[in-house]
Amino acid sequence: PQTALMISVVALALLESVQAFSAPAMKAAPTRSSAVTMFSEGDLGVLPPLGVYDPLGLIETRDMRRYEIMEIKHGRAAMLGFLHVIAIHAGIRFPGYLSPSLGVKFSDVPAGCFASLEAVPTFGWLQIMFFTCMQETGASPFAEPQTDDKEPGDIAGIPWVRYDDPETKAFKLNVERQNGRAAMMGILGCFVHELLGVDALYPTGGLGGDAPPTIF
């Protein structure tokens, strides 16, 4: 039952990712003349060694702005998720209670990816979902909705760092894209490692085949 639950969680996560990156079923494919030229060498996210990598020819048939927004959003979520894995394996916990009514302390949360998720009470997940919906719709004081007049990913509703120099701004945004892409692969790898029955961060048990060493 535990393994089945883990597989279900990963399957739902992957399904959500697939739905997020698929075009809306009821909308016709956009025919913008700038669809092809909006991705060329030097554009944000178009980086070596792949450059403009489009083996399926989606650039000419899909709304690539939506794809950009979803990539940034998934990358940010993955970066937070991977930092969560590192933190719980390092033994970092908030002080106090995760759920005072149930007597669950933050220190009671186990280190496993799935185990730590399952340790959060149902009401805790409802709070997380509610906050996420507020962030998504712009109802939160910490974020604004993604509108057509803003650049992809620009949802900061609080004073944020803005770069006036175009080169510095492009560098910072490309760093975010690359870190997000790496984090998406990293968090997926952690899930797969645990499903295979090994440690998320140390699947080989250390260089000598021993138990994974402590981070700190």
Side-chain angles (χ1 to χ4, degrees):
Q2 189 79 1
T3 302
L5 177 60
M6 292 180 179
I7 295 176
S8 299
V9 172
V10 173
L12 289 174
L14 293 177
L15 178 60
E16 174 65 20
S17 298
V18 171
Q19 290 176 339
F21 280 91
S22 61
M26 299 302 294
K27 293 182 180 180
T31 56
R32 296 180 300 176
S33 60
S34 60
V36 177
T37 58
M38 83 178 279
F39 288 109
S40 59
E41 297 295 337
D43 287 346
L44 289 176
V46 181
L47 302 167
L50 296 179
V52 182
Y53 184 72
D54 184 31
L56 300 180
L58 299 179
I59 293 179
E60 299 181 8
T61 60
R62 301 296 181 92
D63 182 5
M64 298 310 297
R65 174 180 167 83
R66 178 174 181 269
Y67 279 55
E68 278 191 285
I69 293 172
M70 298 312 300
E71 180 190 28
I72 295 171
K73 185 183 301 183
H74 282 83
R76 291 170 177 172
M79 285 188 279
L80 289 174
F82 196 76
L83 286 177
H84 161 78
V85 174
I86 295 176
I88 58 176
H89 276 73
I92 300 175
R93 302 290 189 279
F94 288 113
Y97 284 86
L98 173 63
S99 175
S101 60
L102 297 178
V104 179
K105 296 181 179 180
F106 284 103
S107 58
D108 297 331
V109 177
C113 295
F114 293 103
S116 63
L117 296 178
E118 294 169 357
V120 179
T122 302
F123 186 67
W125 279 113
L126 292 176
Q127 289 177 308
I128 294 173
M129 293 173 63
F130 179 72
F131 178 76
T132 303
C133 289
M134 291 183 65
Q135 292 288 101
E136 184 73 17
T137 59
S140 168
F142 305 107
E144 296 179 352
Q146 177 74 67
T147 54
D148 293 338
D149 60 331
K150 293 183 177 181
E151 296 182 11
D154 187 1
I155 59 171
I158 57 177
W160 205 253
V161 178
R162 301 288 179 176
Y163 298 95
D164 296 326
D165 181 56
E167 292 187 4
T168 302
K169 181 178 180 180
F171 173 78
K172 296 290 185 179
L173 293 176
N174 277 324
V175 167
E176 182 191 30
R177 294 283 185 96
Q178 292 291 68
N179 287 340
R181 292 164 181 171
M184 285 188 278
M185 298 299 294
I187 193 65
L188 180 60
C190 290
F191 287 154
V192 172
H193 289 162
E194 286 207 355
L195 288 175
L196 294 176
V198 294
D199 187 81
L201 291 180
Y202 299 96
T204 60
L207 297 179
D210 300 324
T214 56
I215 296 179
F216 296 113

